[in-house]
Amino acid sequence: MVKAGIIGATGYAGAELARLLLGHKEVEIKWYGSRSYIDEKYAKVYGNMFQLVEDTCLDDNIKELAKQVDVIFTATPQGFLAGVLTEEILQDTKVVDLSADYRLKDVAVYEKWYQIPHKSPQFLAEAVYGLCEVNREKVKKARLVANPGCYTTCSILTAWPLVKEGLIDLNTLIIDAKSGTSGAGRGAKLPNLFCEVNENMKAYGVSTHRHTPEIEEQLGYALGAQATINFTPHLVPMNRGILVTEYASLREIRQADGSMALPSYKQVKEAYDKYYKDEYFIRVLEKGACPETKWVEGSNFVDIGFQIDERTGRVILMGAIDNLVKGAAGQAVQNMNLMFGLPEQEGLRLVPLFP
Amino acid sequence: MVKAGIIGATGYAGAELARLLLGHKEVEIKWYGSRSYIDEKYAKVYGNMFQLVEDTCLDDNIKELAKQVDVIFTATPQGFLAGVLTEEILQDTKVVDLSADYRLKDVAVYEKWYQIPHKSPQFLAEAVYGLCEVNREKVKKARLVANPGCYTTCSILTAWPLVKEGLIDLNTLIIDAKSGTSGAGRGAKLPNLFCEVNENMKAYGVSTHRHTPEIEEQLGYALGAQATINFTPHLVPMNRGILVTEYASLREIRQADGSMALPSYKQVKEAYDKYYKDEYFIRVLEKGACPETKWVEGSNFVDIGFQIDERTGRVILMGAIDNLVKGAAGQAVQNMNLMFGLPEQEGLRLVPLFP
Amino acid sequence: MVKAGIIGATGYAGAELARLLLGHKEVEIKWYGSRSYIDEKYAKVYGNMFQLVEDTCLDDNIKELAKQVDVIFTATPQGFLAGVLTEEILQDTKVVDLSADYRLKDVAVYEKWYQIPHKSPQFLAEAVYGLCEVNREKVKKARLVANPGCYTTCSILTAWPLVKEGLIDLNTLIIDAKSGTSGAGRGAKLPNLFCEVNENMKAYGVSTHRHTPEIEEQLGYALGAQATINFTPHLVPMNRGILVTEYASLREIRQADGSMALPSYKQVKEAYDKYYKDEYFIRVLEKGACPETKWVEGSNFVDIGFQIDERTGRVILMGAIDNLVKGAAGQAVQNMNLMFGLPEQEGLRLVPLFP
Amino acid sequence: MVKAGIIGATGYAGAELARLLLGHKEVEIKWYGSRSYIDEKYAKVYGNMFQLVEDTCLDDNIKELAKQVDVIFTATPQGFLAGVLTEEILQDTKVVDLSADYRLKDVAVYEKWYQIPHKSPQFLAEAVYGLCEVNREKVKKARLVANPGCYTTCSILTAWPLVKEGLIDLNTLIIDAKSGTSGAGRGAKLPNLFCEVNENMKAYGVSTHRHTPEIEEQLGYALGAQATINFTPHLVPMNRGILVTEYASLREIRQADGSMALPSYKQVKEAYDKYYKDEYFIRVLEKGACPETKWVEGSNFVDIGFQIDERTGRVILMGAIDNLVKGAAGQAVQNMNLMFGLPEQEGLRLVPLFP
């Protein structure tokens, strides 16, 4: 039995971790950390947990916690983990960090986009970027996993095979992303009130959103070179779900007859198959199908569809995830499974909820 | 391994059965019946099932199906099962009927409220009303279970202990019920369009809704006498969830000192505890708490709260369920578990999804 | 041209006042008061007002304001107006108060339900309860109007003619009310976050909601006697709209042939017609129709329907309003029109927005 | 008084026309045409119109209607008007067509994208594309106006000044559009059911949507050359509102010092000001602001914002409209005002509804 602690257990991602771990037969939650609700019953903070969780929220003493558990999940604001992490802690326990602290390898990039100093850059080299389908083998050996952001998970996985295979020009990539409101967290802020969000839509963080460098870095690895892209997030009136629509110019590739031509539907499909054929959590839809966020709700799936536009020479990629599952807690559990040698899908064979 | 068939697998209740049974380790679904989608892939009708269900929808030959499976779930329109059920079928298989065909013992009441003739009243005596917490022992021995309606499940369970213990005057009972839109089914009807339902609320079926006699019959059993009540359903803009608010005049009961007085909070609470203390799926909330449908979403729980109003001598009861789970497919699986001697909670230990 | 000032202009009711007054050809808004946004541009606080309102939010100096305008609307928290109102102010200007400060004639009742002392009870006798259809003539002569609450407006108008005509037993009245979330105001509170409200429903303030005594007082006037009722509000996931469902036992009345019998559909309808036939803003629907909140959205209408249940001897009344219009700002403007001798419908002939 | 007839009065666009024309003091609606509801009371089909419209729906005899009214609005399926329009009709009345029949000048393009033959191409030359802000003078003299599509109105107006001034490379233009569900019409189709749309998002018509050639044609006029673009519509769970996010590479322009450089914020803003400074219905937001659909709901406004991304050399444009107002009925009324010499804003000075 893996003993787990959650720091930041009362945010939406923390609560989703609790939901998933309660259904995971190899894990026991030992610690519900929450600075905002110290000494309150967890089930008071999340009424869905009534009679399912009897624990009380605790303060977040990570050093003490590390001695008690096998793995710590930190679902905390940027800068928290970097401010408290020590070698001693990592010798006591494994850590899956749902914040951005160890996602970007370049501390200067981190400090520029997040506007805070990084307090423990010494762990950056060791930290594994926990995009399981891409870094599976590294995750298995990791002590410290940087769990990818919600937008980034969806954005990267949707484009990865095409970048890797050189089918698109990465510098032309434009990602138009739409997210449900749980991604904005449980903070009591006016823009997240029901009446402000409901029956409303808007873009935000245009050209400045922090997931941009994360996508650029990872897709840069796929390409083997640096590139700049556009990423624009939007807020839509729903609880869960991220949909990305990605646009890129196709690159001519050598065809069977030796000529150069834009890739066909079949060739793009083959690229996806090459990387994702055996991936349980990635579902490349049938020709012509467009992913819908509702088809993945509550599950760890990534649904992907694409359409070639011959008129413009572009391909339009579409990806859908549940931002709290594959975009946060689900992927964190998937990483934990890998780190502890458990079956990767344990606790995550969730059938999407419809309607 | 219990072999199961679903007739009406492409309605919302049928799809929820599929979701739950896919996660049930003792059941295998052998038959996805759907008149509307014969020969179409089930995963085309419900995109969430992509790569999870490879089956194709079949016509609904119940006689043939009965020979192949251990249990049939009928999630079909009123009158369907009554029109095809035979003794032969019941000798071949067990049946859990999610329609109303065998819920009302009095065929005249059925025909009056449903406005169709009942074609096989000979099975009415045998059919067990599948409200598990009330009729558990009978369900265990049943061949034919009438799975209760969504509104009725919530309405009855919320009031049952108080009626049973004589704490309220049943003839004063008024049930004001609110439901998400999945209860209206997947039929393509104008009133169920997004733009008609969203940002809108209304009552419907006022004083004529078919769940009224079902509630009256069952609560009449609890009382040991007939009674008439008011039941008013409302449509609200959400997918899942039923909330009932019930009003009844309290009856004076004999107190410890021999005097007669209205029951106290403690006395009402004790009535609930007497019947529900060991019921996993019924959660009587703490004093002052009001149930929220979101706290039970995706789960088989019934959440109950109550408030005594001393000014008017009434008690206000509140109950919340997920209409597709405890109000339909979940309770059907719970009944199946009982009928086959499986652990009652098997496949149903679902943590509610929040948010 | 009537010069108007709004104190509390940045709450939802204040913003709706601004919307309505901008479309009112006899009114000019001179003052947007808002303690929270002093010196900020109003159109920054409400983006819909961009290029429509150039004003900046001001502090709420009511004494100074009274000298500048003909009417002040106070859309402020309970206790504010009672704490600042003086005879001098009322000599300078008329006041329409959207808070509860002058709604209840009995200061003890106010202090019990609102749990704050009343600082200027000397104006209670003078204040007119601004339910226009009931108190029209008094409003015309008023200096100080207490604009009714949202729930109360809908609850009272729906039942008024039946109480007045003695058709129902007021002590049996149970009001089950459902409201959109704008009624909860624009405060940044966790329970009002999108993810907490969306796909959720709950009752609140059960047996303790402050609109209860207001309804009892006004319907008591109609009856000519005191009565106690049950009132239960619910929160539903939509922006605007209140729906009330009211249950009451019918009283036998003398029929044409001299016998006593419960009133018929026709007799109930005649009661409504007697009071509302010429009321532009009250629409009593056709037989069998149930009001929908969407049919009144954005307008000042009250839609009413009813159904007699002969089985239980009760009548079920249904009423729908837009809580921000007839339930707040619209009725405030209607009161202002009456107070200034303007056509009662001026600025309020708004066609409901659908969908 | 302008006498108006509506053909297709019971679709959402037709109903919005009714709402707007009822509030227009120079217009009288003489004819509510609806094939689906012949002889039914209009207020039965749209309950919001109860006691506001007493008319009954009529069949759509356009020839007869043309003799009775000054203007006909056709809110009908593609191909309807083209199939019935005659010179005789246009001599009797003016026509504002909300369908696509006369939007594309090239009949081959129409037939390719709409997959139906065009039955009256002889009127294509005469028809004026009714984008008021662009074609105002032509509209004033028109007998037949092709009212632009909802997506196209928003897409074109958002980009127009930048194309016209040569600030962007039109062939790099990518339009990612998101729409509320009223754009899908009032047809009773499964994909538009509440439970299918709510808590869901998807792209559709990827690279094949019919508004694509309309945008290309009109922006081609602005450019003075043909271009191909990408346009991808998405469905989001809300009633009203379109948001477009447009991406394009900036073109270097000659600067004051003679050098070539990408345009600055100020230069892009000046382009907008040049064309829109005096346009009442177009609101170019302040620097850094992103349009929200809620800020224009129920109104005829187009809100526009933009952001330059120096990293990629692209500009991101954002535009928001109410699809039923500026995207359909509102623009139709604006066109009518121009055609009849009425003040352009008559009946359209609607303050957006918030929340």
Side-chain angles (χ1 to χ4, degrees):
Chain A
M1 209 66 165
V2 175
K3 293 195 287 281
I6 305 171
I7 299 185
T10 53
Y12 288 141
E16 188 72 354
L17 269 170
R19 178 177 83 93
L20 297 178
L21 294 177
L22 286 175
H24 191 298
K25 65 183 185 208
E26 306 288 345
V27 178
E28 193 182 358
I29 306 176
K30 305 294 286 185
W31 186 292
Y32 291 82
S34 169
R35 281 191 188 171
S36 313
Y37 295 97
I38 296 168
D39 292 339
E40 286 193 48
K41 284 201 68 170
Y42 190 72
K44 276 265 186 185
V45 185
Y46 280 101
N48 55 329
M49 294 303 188
F50 185 62
Q51 295 185 351
L52 298 177
V53 176
E54 298 299 336
D55 298 67
T56 292
C57 295
L58 302 173
D59 201 350
D60 54 39
N61 188 334
I62 192 170
K63 230 164 129 179
E64 189 188 324
L65 173 55
K67 295 190 195 309
Q68 300 178 20
V69 299
D70 305 306
V71 61
I72 293 173
F73 295 94
T74 45
T76 42
Q78 324 305 340
F80 170 82
L81 184 61
V84 298
L85 191 62
T86 62
E87 174 60 28
E88 192 189 354
I89 289 169
L90 284 176
Q91 285 177 3
D92 284 338
T93 190
K94 294 179 194 287
V95 176
V96 179
D97 179 27
L98 281 76
S99 87
D101 284 2
Y102 299 99
R103 290 180 193 156
L104 300 168
K105 288 296 174 204
D106 186 337
V107 69
V109 174
Y110 176 90
E111 296 187 343
K112 178 186 154 202
W113 288 81
Y114 287 89
Q115 297 284 313
I116 48 173
H118 197 298
K119 297 215 179 125
S120 55
Q122 68 271 25
F123 299 113
L124 280 172
E126 166 179 4
V128 174
Y129 189 74
L131 195 60
C132 311
E133 284 76 9
V134 168
N135 292 331
R136 181 171 287 122
E137 295 313 312
K138 286 185 195 155
V139 170
K140 287 181 182 173
K141 290 171 281 187
R143 296 193 302 177
L144 172 59
V145 162
N147 208 57
C150 52
Y151 282 124
T152 41
T153 296
C154 195
S155 297
I156 295 168
L157 289 175
T158 298
W160 183 266
L162 277 60
V163 178
K164 196 82 182 169
E165 295 298 298
L167 299 187
I168 58 174
D169 176 356
L170 186 53
N171 282 295
T172 67
L173 186 67
I174 288 169
I175 303 176
D176 189 284
K178 300 95 181 163
S179 175
T181 305
S182 59
R186 212 189 193 198
K189 294 174 189 158
L190 190 147
N192 298 336
L193 291 179
F194 182 83
C195 288
E196 307 288 318
V197 172
N198 187 41
E199 289 292 292
N200 201 0
M201 262 191 296
K202 64 175 176 191
Y204 66 99
V206 182
S207 84
T208 62
H209 194 277
R210 295 157 168 191
H211 285 177
T212 311
E214 195 178 328
I215 299 168
E216 288 178 347
E217 177 175 336
Q218 297 299 323
L219 288 181
Y221 295 146
L223 179 65
Q226 287 198 332
T228 52
I229 62 155
N230 271 106
F231 169 75
T232 312
H234 298 75
L235 193 68
V236 297
M238 40 193 287
N239 287 354
R240 287 170 181 250
I242 281 178
L243 181 72
V244 296
T245 312
E246 309 192 2
Y247 304 85
S249 295
L250 288 164
R251 293 181 66 236
E252 292 195 339
I253 57 169
R254 193 161 302 279
Q255 304 292 325
D257 65 357
S259 69
M260 297 297 284
L262 294 185
S264 65
Y265 171 84
K266 189 160 161 289
Q267 289 170 321
V268 174
K269 182 63 164 53
E270 282 167 356
Y272 279 116
D273 288 345
K274 178 170 173 186
Y275 294 87
Y276 295 155
K277 194 163 42 72
D278 298 324
E279 292 295 345
Y280 176 78
F281 292 122
I282 301 185
R283 309 192 294 191
V284 180
L285 304 183
E286 292 181 5
K287 190 171 181 177
C290 296
E292 308 190 16
T293 57
K294 192 76 184 157
W295 300 129
V296 298
E297 187 177 333
S299 83
N300 202 46
F301 290 115
V302 185
D303 279 9
I304 296 174
F306 67 92
Q307 181 78 27
I308 292 171
D309 185 353
E310 293 178 358
R311 299 169 66 252
T312 60
R314 296 193 189 100
V315 66
I316 298 105
L317 315 176
M318 295 160 279
I321 62 167
D322 183 322
N323 58 303
L324 291 178
V325 189
K326 185 63 178 175
Q331 187 151 255
V333 172
Q334 192 180 352
N335 276 309
M336 180 202 71
N337 285 340
L338 290 171
M339 293 161 92
F340 286 87
L342 299 168
E344 188 170 339
Q345 301 160 24
E346 184 55 48
L348 296 172
R349 299 183 73 95
L350 306 153
V351 181
L353 192 77
F354 186 90
Chain B
M1 208 66 164
V2 174
K3 293 193 287 281
I6 304 171
I7 299 186
T10 53
Y12 288 141
E16 188 72 354
L17 268 170
R19 178 177 82 94
L20 297 178
L21 294 176
L22 286 175
H24 191 299
K25 65 182 185 209
E26 305 287 346
V27 178
E28 194 183 356
I29 306 175
K30 306 294 286 185
W31 185 292
Y32 292 82
S34 170
R35 282 191 187 171
S36 313
Y37 294 97
I38 296 168
D39 292 339
E40 287 192 47
K41 284 201 69 170
Y42 190 72
K44 275 266 186 185
V45 185
Y46 280 101
N48 55 327
M49 295 302 188
F50 184 63
Q51 295 185 352
L52 299 176
V53 176
E54 297 298 336
D55 299 67
T56 292
C57 296
L58 301 173
D59 202 351
D60 54 40
N61 188 332
I62 192 170
K63 230 165 128 180
E64 189 189 323
L65 173 55
K67 296 191 196 305
Q68 300 178 21
V69 299
D70 304 307
V71 62
I72 294 174
F73 295 94
T74 45
T76 42
Q78 324 305 341
F80 170 82
L81 184 61
V84 299
L85 190 63
T86 62
E87 174 59 27
E88 192 189 357
I89 289 169
L90 285 176
Q91 285 177 2
D92 284 339
T93 191
K94 294 179 194 289
V95 176
V96 179
D97 180 27
L98 281 76
S99 88
D101 284 2
Y102 299 100
R103 290 180 192 157
L104 300 168
K105 287 295 174 204
D106 186 336
V107 68
V109 174
Y110 176 90
E111 295 187 343
K112 177 185 154 203
W113 288 80
Y114 286 89
Q115 297 285 313
I116 48 173
H118 198 298
K119 297 218 178 122
S120 55
Q122 68 272 24
F123 298 114
L124 281 172
E126 166 179 5
V128 173
Y129 188 74
L131 195 60
C132 310
E133 284 76 10
V134 168
N135 293 331
R136 180 172 288 119
E137 295 312 312
K138 286 185 194 155
V139 170
K140 287 182 181 172
K141 291 171 279 187
R143 297 193 301 177
L144 172 60
V145 162
N147 208 57
C150 52
Y151 283 124
T152 42
T153 295
C154 196
S155 297
I156 295 168
L157 290 175
T158 299
W160 183 267
L162 278 60
V163 178
K164 198 81 182 168
E165 296 297 297
L167 300 188
I168 58 173
D169 176 356
L170 186 52
N171 281 296
T172 67
L173 185 66
I174 287 169
I175 303 175
D176 191 283
K178 300 93 182 162
S179 175
T181 305
S182 58
R186 214 189 192 199
K189 295 173 189 160
L190 190 147
N192 298 336
L193 290 179
F194 182 83
C195 288
E196 308 287 318
V197 172
N198 187 41
E199 288 293 293
N200 201 0
M201 262 190 297
K202 64 175 177 191
Y204 66 98
V206 181
S207 83
T208 62
H209 194 278
R210 294 155 167 192
H211 284 177
T212 311
E214 195 178 328
I215 299 168
E216 288 178 347
E217 178 175 336
Q218 297 299 323
L219 288 182
Y221 296 145
L223 179 66
Q226 286 197 332
T228 53
I229 62 154
N230 271 105
F231 169 75
T232 312
H234 299 75
L235 193 67
V236 297
M238 40 193 287
N239 287 355
R240 288 169 180 249
I242 280 178
L243 182 72
V244 296
T245 312
E246 309 192 3
Y247 304 85
S249 295
L250 288 164
R251 293 181 65 236
E252 291 195 339
I253 57 170
R254 193 162 302 280
Q255 303 293 323
D257 66 358
S259 69
M260 297 296 284
L262 294 185
S264 64
Y265 170 83
K266 189 161 162 288
Q267 289 170 321
V268 174
K269 181 62 164 53
E270 282 167 357
Y272 278 116
D273 287 345
K274 178 170 172 185
Y275 294 88
Y276 295 155
K277 193 163 44 73
D278 297 324
E279 293 295 347
Y280 177 78
F281 291 122
I282 302 185
R283 308 192 294 190
V284 180
L285 304 183
E286 291 181 6
K287 190 170 181 176
C290 296
E292 308 191 16
T293 58
K294 192 75 185 157
W295 300 128
V296 298
E297 187 176 334
S299 82
N300 202 47
F301 290 115
V302 185
D303 279 8
I304 296 174
F306 67 92
Q307 181 78 27
I308 292 171
D309 185 353
E310 293 178 357
R311 299 169 66 252
T312 61
R314 296 193 189 100
V315 66
I316 299 103
L317 315 177
M318 295 159 278
I321 61 168
D322 183 322
N323 58 304
L324 291 178
V325 189
K326 185 63 178 174
Q331 188 152 251
V333 172
Q334 194 181 352
N335 276 309
M336 181 202 72
N337 285 341
L338 291 170
M339 294 162 91
F340 286 87
L342 299 168
E344 188 170 338
Q345 301 160 24
E346 184 55 50
L348 295 172
R349 299 183 73 95
L350 306 154
V351 181
L353 193 76
F354 185 89
Chain C
M1 210 67 164
V2 174
K3 292 193 287 281
I6 304 172
I7 299 185
T10 54
Y12 288 143
E16 188 72 353
L17 268 170
R19 179 178 82 93
L20 297 178
L21 294 177
L22 285 176
H24 192 299
K25 64 183 185 208
E26 305 287 345
V27 177
E28 192 183 358
I29 306 176
K30 304 295 284 186
W31 185 293
Y32 291 83
S34 168
R35 281 191 190 173
S36 313
Y37 295 97
I38 296 168
D39 290 340
E40 287 192 47
K41 281 200 71 172
Y42 190 72
K44 275 266 185 184
V45 184
Y46 281 101
N48 56 329
M49 295 302 188
F50 184 62
Q51 295 185 352
L52 298 176
V53 176
E54 298 299 336
D55 299 66
T56 293
C57 295
L58 302 174
D59 200 352
D60 53 41
N61 189 333
I62 192 171
K63 227 163 130 181
E64 189 189 324
L65 173 55
K67 296 190 194 310
Q68 300 178 20
V69 298
D70 304 306
V71 62
I72 294 173
F73 296 93
T74 46
T76 44
Q78 322 307 339
F80 169 82
L81 184 61
V84 299
L85 191 62
T86 61
E87 173 61 26
E88 192 190 353
I89 289 168
L90 285 176
Q91 284 177 2
D92 284 338
T93 190
K94 294 179 193 285
V95 176
V96 179
D97 179 27
L98 282 76
S99 87
D101 284 2
Y102 299 99
R103 290 180 192 157
L104 300 168
K105 287 295 174 203
D106 185 336
V107 70
V109 173
Y110 176 91
E111 295 187 344
K112 177 184 156 207
W113 287 80
Y114 286 88
Q115 297 286 313
I116 48 173
H118 198 298
K119 297 219 178 119
S120 55
Q122 68 272 24
F123 298 114
L124 280 173
E126 166 178 6
V128 174
Y129 189 73
L131 196 60
C132 310
E133 284 77 10
V134 168
N135 292 331
R136 180 172 289 121
E137 295 312 313
K138 286 184 195 156
V139 171
K140 286 181 182 174
K141 290 171 280 184
R143 295 193 303 177
L144 171 60
V145 163
N147 208 56
C150 52
Y151 283 124
T152 41
T153 295
C154 196
S155 298
I156 295 168
L157 290 176
T158 298
W160 183 267
L162 278 61
V163 177
K164 197 83 182 168
E165 295 297 297
L167 299 188
I168 58 174
D169 176 355
L170 185 53
N171 281 295
T172 67
L173 185 66
I174 287 168
I175 303 175
D176 191 283
K178 300 95 181 160
S179 176
T181 305
S182 58
R186 213 189 192 196
K189 295 174 189 158
L190 190 146
N192 297 337
L193 290 180
F194 182 83
C195 288
E196 308 287 319
V197 172
N198 188 40
E199 287 294 291
N200 201 1
M201 260 189 299
K202 64 175 177 189
Y204 67 98
V206 181
S207 84
T208 62
H209 194 278
R210 294 157 168 191
H211 284 176
T212 311
E214 194 179 327
I215 299 169
E216 288 179 345
E217 177 175 336
Q218 297 299 323
L219 288 182
Y221 296 145
L223 179 64
Q226 286 197 334
T228 54
I229 62 154
N230 270 106
F231 169 74
T232 312
H234 297 76
L235 193 67
V236 298
M238 40 194 287
N239 287 355
R240 287 169 181 249
I242 280 178
L243 182 72
V244 297
T245 313
E246 309 192 3
Y247 303 85
S249 295
L250 288 164
R251 294 180 66 235
E252 291 195 339
I253 56 169
R254 193 161 302 279
Q255 303 294 323
D257 65 359
S259 69
M260 296 297 285
L262 294 184
S264 64
Y265 171 83
K266 190 160 161 288
Q267 289 170 321
V268 174
K269 182 62 163 55
E270 283 167 355
Y272 278 116
D273 288 344
K274 178 170 171 186
Y275 294 87
Y276 294 155
K277 195 163 42 73
D278 297 325
E279 292 294 346
Y280 177 78
F281 292 122
I282 301 185
R283 308 192 294 189
V284 180
L285 305 183
E286 292 182 5
K287 190 171 182 177
C290 295
E292 309 190 14
T293 57
K294 193 74 183 160
W295 300 130
V296 298
E297 187 176 334
S299 82
N300 201 47
F301 289 114
V302 185
D303 279 8
I304 296 174
F306 66 92
Q307 181 78 26
I308 292 171
D309 186 353
E310 292 179 358
R311 298 169 65 252
T312 61
R314 294 193 191 100
V315 66
I316 299 103
L317 316 177
M318 294 159 280
I321 62 167
D322 182 322
N323 57 303
L324 292 179
V325 188
K326 185 63 180 175
Q331 187 151 252
V333 172
Q334 193 180 352
N335 276 308
M336 179 202 72
N337 286 340
L338 291 170
M339 294 162 91
F340 286 87
L342 299 168
E344 187 170 341
Q345 303 161 20
E346 183 56 48
L348 295 172
R349 300 184 72 97
L350 305 153
V351 182
L353 193 76
F354 186 91
Chain D
M1 209 67 165
V2 175
K3 292 194 289 279
I6 304 171
I7 299 186
T10 55
Y12 288 142
E16 188 72 354
L17 268 171
R19 178 177 82 94
L20 297 178
L21 294 177
L22 285 175
H24 192 299
K25 64 182 186 209
E26 305 288 344
V27 177
E28 193 183 358
I29 306 176
K30 304 296 284 185
W31 185 292
Y32 292 82
S34 169
R35 280 191 189 174
S36 313
Y37 295 97
I38 296 168
D39 291 339
E40 287 192 47
K41 281 200 71 171
Y42 190 73
K44 276 265 185 186
V45 184
Y46 281 101
N48 56 329
M49 295 302 187
F50 185 62
Q51 294 184 352
L52 299 176
V53 176
E54 297 299 336
D55 299 66
T56 293
C57 295
L58 302 173
D59 201 352
D60 55 38
N61 188 334
I62 191 170
K63 228 164 129 179
E64 189 188 323
L65 174 56
K67 296 189 193 311
Q68 299 178 21
V69 300
D70 304 306
V71 61
I72 294 174
F73 296 93
T74 46
T76 44
Q78 323 305 339
F80 170 82
L81 183 62
V84 298
L85 190 62
T86 61
E87 174 60 26
E88 191 191 353
I89 289 168
L90 285 176
Q91 285 177 2
D92 284 339
T93 190
K94 293 178 194 285
V95 176
V96 179
D97 178 27
L98 281 76
S99 87
D101 285 2
Y102 299 100
R103 290 180 192 157
L104 300 168
K105 287 294 173 203
D106 185 336
V107 70
V109 174
Y110 176 91
E111 295 188 343
K112 177 185 155 204
W113 287 81
Y114 286 89
Q115 297 285 313
I116 47 173
H118 198 298
K119 298 220 177 119
S120 54
Q122 69 272 24
F123 298 113
L124 281 172
E126 166 178 5
V128 174
Y129 189 74
L131 195 59
C132 311
E133 284 76 9
V134 169
N135 293 331
R136 180 170 288 121
E137 296 312 312
K138 287 185 195 155
V139 170
K140 287 181 181 173
K141 289 171 278 184
R143 295 194 302 178
L144 170 61
V145 162
N147 208 57
C150 52
Y151 283 124
T152 41
T153 295
C154 195
S155 297
I156 295 168
L157 289 176
T158 298
W160 183 267
L162 279 59
V163 178
K164 198 80 183 169
E165 295 297 298
L167 299 188
I168 58 174
D169 176 355
L170 186 53
N171 281 295
T172 67
L173 185 67
I174 288 170
I175 303 175
D176 191 283
K178 301 95 181 162
S179 176
T181 305
S182 59
R186 214 189 190 195
K189 295 174 188 158
L190 190 145
N192 297 338
L193 291 179
F194 182 82
C195 288
E196 308 287 318
V197 172
N198 188 40
E199 288 293 293
N200 201 0
M201 260 190 299
K202 65 175 177 190
Y204 66 99
V206 182
S207 84
T208 62
H209 193 278
R210 295 157 168 191
H211 286 176
T212 311
E214 194 178 327
I215 299 168
E216 287 178 346
E217 177 175 337
Q218 297 299 324
L219 289 182
Y221 295 146
L223 179 65
Q226 286 197 331
T228 53
I229 63 154
N230 271 105
F231 169 75
T232 311
H234 297 75
L235 194 66
V236 298
M238 41 194 286
N239 288 355
R240 287 171 182 247
I242 280 178
L243 182 72
V244 297
T245 312
E246 310 192 3
Y247 304 85
S249 295
L250 289 164
R251 294 180 66 235
E252 292 195 339
I253 57 169
R254 193 161 304 279
Q255 303 294 322
D257 66 358
S259 68
M260 296 297 285
L262 294 184
S264 64
Y265 171 83
K266 190 161 160 289
Q267 289 171 321
V268 174
K269 181 63 162 54
E270 282 167 355
Y272 278 116
D273 287 344
K274 177 170 172 186
Y275 294 89
Y276 295 155
K277 194 164 42 76
D278 297 324
E279 292 294 344
Y280 177 78
F281 292 122
I282 301 185
R283 307 191 295 190
V284 179
L285 305 182
E286 291 182 5
K287 190 171 182 178
C290 296
E292 309 190 16
T293 56
K294 192 74 182 157
W295 301 130
V296 298
E297 187 176 333
S299 82
N300 201 47
F301 290 113
V302 185
D303 278 8
I304 296 174
F306 67 92
Q307 181 78 26
I308 292 172
D309 185 353
E310 292 179 358
R311 298 170 65 253
T312 61
R314 295 192 191 101
V315 66
I316 299 103
L317 316 177
M318 296 160 278
I321 61 167
D322 182 321
N323 57 303
L324 292 178
V325 189
K326 185 62 178 176
Q331 187 152 252
V333 172
Q334 193 180 352
N335 276 308
M336 180 201 73
N337 285 340
L338 290 171
M339 293 162 92
F340 286 87
L342 299 167
E344 187 170 341
Q345 301 162 22
E346 183 56 49
L348 296 172
R349 300 184 72 96
L350 305 153
V351 182
L353 194 75
F354 185 90

